[in-house]
Amino acid sequence: MSGPLIVAWTLTAVFAALVLPCVLRLVRLDYGRQGAAVRNGDLAELLLVVAMVAMLSPVGGPIPAAGWQAVLALTAGWFAVSWWKGRRSGHAACGHHAVSAVAMLFMVTFMPHSEVSHGPWLVMSGPGGGSALWLSLLFGAVAGYFAVDAVRAGVLAARGTRDPGTRGESGQVSRRVCRVIMGAGMGYMLVGAAL
């Protein structure tokens, strides 16, 4: 196996492992005190984790890129509207999920695919051609956002500090650890695309 292929398989395994805590948070059904925004955030996290697995996997995925574009566009729209409607009542996580979905939508749309032979299938783990300057700058800026967010989530997880506006602690550490790993993975992919 070549170096990039080993990295692709390792990252695929890491993100596939994040499916478990996302599913466990969803099946616990303890959202009564936390509200629908937290449940929707957990569902979005699961969707974004699965999308990361599909993007990083050297094998590819069963959903064509156009399918991911549609799902990510709907996710971004849903969370952007949720954030806008609830921005005064502590729905900052909705804004983060909207940014994450938009970033993934841009990656699916503009990142070079590793092989043309896969047709419309989503396979992005291989090397590709260089990006346009505007796209490199955009990807670099968004990678910076995810790096800062990952550090912030990591510090909050280590301290055990509650997010402002949350009413309960159930699942907070798991959410933050997933957010750190997702942020680092998104940053890695965006920096790779920007170069």
Side-chain angles (χ1 to χ4, degrees):
M1 266 197 236
S2 67
L5 195 56
I6 291 171
V7 171
W9 277 114
T10 302
L11 290 174
T12 300
V14 167
F15 285 103
L18 287 182
V19 169
L20 180 63
C22 291
V23 169
L24 289 176
R25 286 193 310 266
L26 285 166
V27 299
R28 269 191 284 170
L29 301 176
D30 61 352
Y31 293 106
R33 292 184 2 223
Q34 295 179 354
V38 175
R39 183 192 65 236
N40 292 342
D42 284 345
L43 189 58
E45 190 75 28
L46 177 61
L47 171 74
L48 296 174
V49 164
V50 171
M52 286 292 280
V53 169
M55 283 193 279
L56 288 164
S57 172
V59 174
I63 301 174
W68 282 111
Q69 288 168 329
V71 168
L72 293 169
L74 287 171
T75 303
W78 174 272
F79 281 99
V81 169
S82 295
W83 169 78
W84 183 257
K85 288 169 66 175
R87 65 190 181 280
R88 290 189 181 100
S89 57
H91 287 93
C94 290
H96 173 75
H97 290 308
V99 169
S100 298
V102 168
M104 293 185 91
L105 178 62
F106 268 83
M107 285 190 284
V108 169
T109 304
F110 293 110
M111 278 180 70
H113 291 36
S114 63
E115 292 182 7
V116 179
S117 64
H118 284 283
W121 306 109
L122 186 61
V123 181
M124 295 185 190
S125 60
S131 299
L133 179 60
W134 73 270
L135 199 53
S136 293
L137 293 174
L138 178 67
F139 282 172
V142 177
Y145 164 80
F146 283 111
V148 168
D149 184 71
V151 169
R152 179 187 166 275
V155 168
L156 289 174
R159 287 184 183 167
T161 309
R162 281 184 26 187
D163 284 331
T166 59
R167 294 177 289 230
E169 285 293 323
S170 180
Q172 287 290 17
V173 172
S174 173
R175 281 182 194 95
R176 289 187 185 124
V177 169
C178 286
R179 193 160 170 163
V180 168
I181 295 170
M182 282 293 292
M186 294 281 284
Y188 168 79
M189 290 184 70
L190 289 161
V191 166
L195 299 178

